[in-house]
Amino acid sequence: MIARQILIHEDPEATANAIAARLITSIADALAARGVAHVVVTGGSLGIAALEAVAANPAKTSVNWSQVHFWWGDERFVATDSADRNVLQAEALFAALDELGLDRSTVHAMGASDKYDTAEQAAEAYAAELAAEAEQGALNPAFDVLMLGMGPDSHVASLFPNHTRSDQPGVIAVHDSPKPPPHRVTLTMGTINTAKEVWLIVTGADKAPALAKAQHEINEVAVPASAVHGTEATRWIIDRAASTLL
């Protein structure tokens, strides 16, 4: 397995800024190499703060945003206009990038409850959208960077300990989520671990026990964060408070 790199920053703001700078560089590198970039972003307080930091970073003007595809690791299965939706919370970034050539068709939002009758239908539609952007025969594009937050219980995306999971690549519905809202759509671990680089972004002392546990034993069922990895790099980008038990 690819070795894990742990990068510790002083506080949540410094962590968000560091994530943003690294993300802009990674996207620019992908565009230089292949002419297109595929990035999986995440919600949560740090995930959204990092996206806002991208919008505020002057280096964003060096990127051809029309060739950048944004995907989501998971989404709450609620109405399109619900404040709970990750994609709605990230609108500040997308609005800032509109002026730099962002093509909104490359912002791939997961389906909402006012568009699909069930989370299963939304999951099937997202799987089809991933396959449509993949190379022939693949289930999803080659993700250059896939970012994940982590909960105090060690969940990533909407993969919770001892809860709904799948060993297969794809997109699944989650019901009776331990964290509200109860219905969600998420990439499986099998899809997450196809990304070239996976970044687990974590801040706060409340995350320290789960973060430490994830470093010592790989147990996808009990500690989902422990089983996450990239094919080329696995980076834990954290703040000092989250690192106290390492």
Side-chain angles (χ1 to χ4, degrees):
M1 182 178 292
I2 301 297
R4 301 172 176 181
Q5 180 184 35
I6 300 177
L7 304 165
I8 303 173
H9 299 280
E10 191 58 35
D11 53 34
E13 181 179 2
T15 307
N17 287 334
I19 294 164
R22 185 178 290 271
L23 183 61
I24 291 171
T25 299
S26 295
I27 289 172
D29 288 347
L31 291 174
R34 300 195 326 278
V36 65
H38 289 274
V39 177
V40 180
V41 293
T42 186
S45 57
L46 180 58
I48 298 303
L51 296 181
E52 291 173 347
V54 169
N57 192 314
K60 69 181 184 292
T61 59
S62 65
V63 171
N64 179 4
W65 294 102
S66 69
Q67 299 302 313
V68 180
H69 289 256
F70 289 96
W71 303 89
W72 293 93
D74 73 323
E75 185 59 275
R76 290 80 178 261
F77 188 63
V78 292
T80 302
D81 61 355
S82 171
D84 282 339
R85 277 178 63 81
N86 292 325
V87 69
L88 193 62
Q89 294 173 21
E91 178 57 29
L93 168 66
F94 301 134
L97 298 183
D98 282 339
E99 300 177 3
L100 298 175
L102 176 67
D103 180 349
R104 286 297 183 114
S105 70
T106 65
V107 178
H108 303 275
M110 288 179 164
S113 62
D114 54 335
K115 303 293 184 181
Y116 295 92
D117 291 335
T118 66
E120 282 80 6
Q121 291 177 355
E124 290 174 6
Y126 208 64
E129 193 166 350
L130 285 164
E133 294 294 339
E135 294 184 4
Q136 187 173 6
L139 296 178
N140 53 265
F143 300 129
D144 296 287
V145 175
L146 187 150
M147 295 192 294
L148 295 167
M150 183 193 71
D153 62 352
S154 81
H155 84 265
V156 290
S158 285
L159 303 174
F160 294 90
N162 303 301
H163 202 265
T164 304
R165 58 185 289 270
S166 172
D167 292 327
Q168 301 301 313
V171 187
I172 58 173
V174 174
H175 300 290
D176 299 319
S177 164
K179 181 180 180 181
H183 306 295
R184 295 162 175 255
V185 177
T186 185
L187 302 184
T188 65
M189 191 69 74
T191 296
I192 289 169
N193 288 345
T194 67
K196 295 176 184 178
E197 294 196 11
V198 172
W199 302 355
L200 293 108
I201 60 174
V202 183
T203 59
D206 63 321
K207 309 285 183 67
L211 194 154
K213 193 171 185 180
Q215 307 307 310
H216 298 297
E217 178 185 2
I218 297 177
N219 186 331
E220 181 181 337
V221 176
V223 188
S226 70
V228 172
H229 62 81
T231 62
E232 296 180 6
T234 307
R235 308 186 199 280
W236 288 75
I237 307 175
I238 67 177
D239 75 346
R240 198 161 300 284
S243 73
T244 53
L245 299 179
L246 294 178

